[in-house]
């Protein structure tokens, strides 16, 4: 029975990808499966099932692609960008806290709940933190974080393509191969070390570990091929279905109020991130696609997939997304947790 539900979920996701590809919608194998599975799961949740581990397959492939972009020159450029990373990330988080304050004043939601709903990163870690806080409404946090992710994953590629902000690949770009011995070797090492990283609670192990391993290996001479488009489409399919399965409208209490609050908060954060991205592009002489995706408050795997699909500077996007993830994980979250536990923030 579970296998039949998995197959149905996969078929619905593939149908979404095929339709979106036919309609030339951006990032079709991420957005199509996401929306089709979201609709199907909302109507008949008992028919759908998707193991969370399947997302890890897509994350490893995206991580490998990110690692390939982290050449020596790219790493040096990321180093030069560190002051901008710190400044822009801090500003985005402060503005997120401001959005949370406004939401808490205009609704019945308390500030701790609004704050954890607005923090732009590490959805899994944010939800885990919310579970530990008695004053936090876990349902509101989960729904708002999920809708925030949907806003970014769906809205960002549509925005970039609608306003023709995508970049054109250079003529020297080589044709992707299906596979090579070196690629298989790198992927096997990535998977093994990702499992080890997961065991020792390394953040986003199935994305970051493959990215780091691939970057290190290629800089010492073990270079794999660029993955072919069907393989990357498969990776996007795995991730897109997983996101579509995350939203469970039937489980919501006070659906209208909760969703309205989540959409308002997510929309405000999206607009703030977009404005910061435009400023960042002007100040740092970057193309808009790279700047907007670098500051987009989405997941590293989704932003990496979108950046690769629209030919943005993947190394810069990955660098900013990784920096924000670690900054929030090791600096912001402990600070928020401390103040919430001490009930200084009310």
């Amino acid at each position: 029975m579970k296998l039949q539900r998995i197959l149905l979920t996969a078929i619905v996701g593939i149908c979404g990808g095929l339709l979106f590809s036919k309609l030339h919608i951006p990032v079709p194998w991420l957005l199509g499966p996401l929306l089709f599975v979201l609709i199907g799961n909302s109507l008949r949740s008992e028919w759908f099932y998707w193991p969370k581990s399947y997302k890890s397959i897509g994350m490893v492939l995206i991580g490998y692609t990110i690692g390939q972009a982290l050449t020596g020159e790219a790493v040096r450029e990321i180093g030069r960008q560190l002051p901008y990373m710190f400044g822009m990330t801090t500003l985005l988080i402060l503005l997120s806290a401001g959005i949370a304050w406004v939401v808490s004043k205009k609704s019945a939601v308390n500030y701790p709940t609004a704050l954890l709903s607005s923090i732009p990163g590490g959805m899994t870690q944010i939800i885990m933190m919310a579970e530990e806080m008695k004053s936090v409404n876990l349902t509101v946090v989960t729904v708002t974080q999920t809708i925030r992710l949907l806003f970014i994953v769906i809205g960002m590629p549509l925005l970039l393509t609608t306003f023709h902000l995508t970049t054109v690949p250079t003529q020297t770009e080589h044709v992707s191969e299906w596979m090579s011995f070196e690629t298989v070797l790198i992927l096997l090492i990535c998977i093994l070390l990702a499992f080890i990283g997961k065991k020792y609670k390394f953040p986003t192990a199935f994305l970051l570990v493959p990215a780091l391993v691939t970057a290190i290996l290629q800089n010492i001479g073990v270079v794999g091929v660029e993955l072919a488009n069907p393989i990357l489409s498969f990776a996007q399919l795995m991730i897109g279905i997983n996101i579509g399965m995350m939203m469970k409208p039937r489980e919501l209490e006070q659906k209208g109020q909760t969703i309205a609050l989540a959409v308002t908060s997510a929309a405000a954060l999206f607009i703030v991130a977009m404005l910061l991205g435009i400023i960042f592009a002007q100040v740092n002489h970057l193309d808009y696609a790279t700047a907007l995706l670098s500051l987009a408050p989405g997941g590293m795997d989704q932003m990496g997939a979108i950046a690769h699909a629209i030919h943005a500077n993947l190394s810069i996007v990955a660098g900013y997304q990784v920096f924000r993830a670690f900054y929030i994980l090791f600096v912001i979250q402990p600070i928020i947790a401390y103040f919430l536990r001490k009930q200084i923030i009310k």
Side-chain angles (χ1 to χ4, degrees):
M1 185 63 179
K2 187 175 287 188
L3 178 59
Q4 292 175 339
R5 293 166 65 195
I6 292 174
L7 288 175
L8 175 63
T9 305
I11 290 170
V12 170
I14 291 169
C15 289
L18 290 172
L19 178 62
F20 275 44
S21 296
K22 189 72 174 177
L23 297 176
H24 302 290
I25 293 174
V27 202
W29 287 99
L30 183 70
L31 301 186
L34 189 162
L35 288 177
F36 269 52
V37 170
L38 172 60
I39 293 170
N41 190 43
S42 299
L43 297 174
R44 285 285 188 271
S45 60
E46 67 275 12
W47 292 1
F48 289 79
Y49 178 73
W50 196 250
K52 292 181 180 180
S53 58
Y54 286 12
K55 177 190 176 185
S56 300
I57 301 171
M59 292 178 71
V60 168
L61 296 173
I62 297 298
Y64 169 86
T65 302
I66 291 173
Q68 281 196 312
L70 297 176
T71 62
E73 177 57 34
V75 172
R76 286 189 289 272
E77 176 61 24
I78 290 172
R80 289 192 289 268
Q81 293 281 343
L82 277 176
Y84 290 101
M85 291 182 183
F86 177 79
M88 285 294 180
T89 302
T90 301
L91 184 56
L92 179 61
I93 292 169
L94 290 175
L95 290 172
S96 300
I99 291 171
W101 182 82
V102 173
V103 168
S104 68
K105 293 298 182 182
K106 299 294 182 179
S107 69
V109 174
N110 60 26
Y111 186 68
T113 299
L115 180 60
L116 291 183
S117 298
S118 299
I119 293 297
M123 185 168 71
T124 302
Q125 290 84 6
I126 294 292
I127 292 173
M128 288 173 60
M129 185 190 302
E131 290 175 337
E132 299 174 0
M133 307 294 172
K134 294 181 180 179
S135 62
V136 171
N137 187 321
L138 181 60
T139 301
V140 172
V141 172
T142 303
V143 171
T144 305
Q145 286 285 345
T146 303
I147 289 179
R148 184 260 305 171
L149 186 61
L150 292 176
F151 247 90
I152 298 301
V153 173
I154 296 173
M156 194 58 73
L158 292 176
L159 172 74
L160 293 171
T161 53
T162 299
F163 292 97
H164 306 290
L165 300 177
T166 56
T167 58
V168 179
T170 60
Q171 295 298 319
T172 58
E173 188 174 21
H174 64 276
V175 177
S176 303
E177 302 177 40
W178 274 96
M179 201 56 65
S180 70
F181 172 77
E182 291 83 0
T183 304
V184 174
L185 177 63
I186 293 171
L187 287 173
L188 288 175
I189 294 173
C190 287
I191 293 169
L192 175 62
L193 294 180
F195 274 108
I196 295 174
K198 181 73 173 178
K199 180 179 179 180
Y200 290 98
K201 302 186 185 305
F202 190 84
T204 324
F206 285 96
L207 181 76
L208 288 183
V209 171
L212 293 173
V213 168
T214 303
I216 292 170
L217 289 177
Q218 78 171 355
N219 280 290
I220 63 174
V222 183
V223 182
V225 300
E226 181 179 332
L227 297 179
N229 285 331
I231 297 177
L232 292 173
S233 295
F234 172 76
Q236 293 177 29
L237 174 70
M238 296 293 103
I239 295 170
I241 290 177
N242 182 78
I243 299 173
M245 290 294 294
M246 287 167 57
M247 194 69 176
K248 298 178 172 37
R250 289 187 174 186
E251 297 180 5
L252 285 178
E253 298 177 359
Q254 299 179 320
K255 292 183 178 63
Q257 181 181 352
T258 303
I259 292 177
L261 174 66
V263 169
T264 301
S265 178
L269 185 59
F270 179 84
I271 293 170
V272 165
M274 183 180 66
L275 294 175
L276 285 178
I278 293 172
I279 295 171
F280 175 50
Q282 295 293 326
V283 170
N284 217 21
H285 307 293
L286 290 173
D287 61 90
Y288 284 111
T290 298
L292 289 169
L293 288 173
S294 295
L295 294 181
M300 287 181 286
D301 47 346
Q302 296 95 23
M303 294 306 101
I306 294 170
H308 185 271
I310 66 172
H311 309 290
N313 189 324
L314 182 55
S315 60
I316 294 296
V317 173
Y320 270 81
Q321 292 289 336
V322 170
F323 177 86
R324 189 179 71 232
F326 278 95
Y327 185 54
I328 290 175
L329 181 64
F330 293 112
V331 179
I332 301 302
Q333 286 189 16
I335 292 173
I336 292 175
Y338 172 80
F339 281 108
L340 291 183
R341 288 194 181 99
K342 294 294 184 180
Q343 295 185 341
I344 292 176
I345 299 180
K346 297 183 180 180

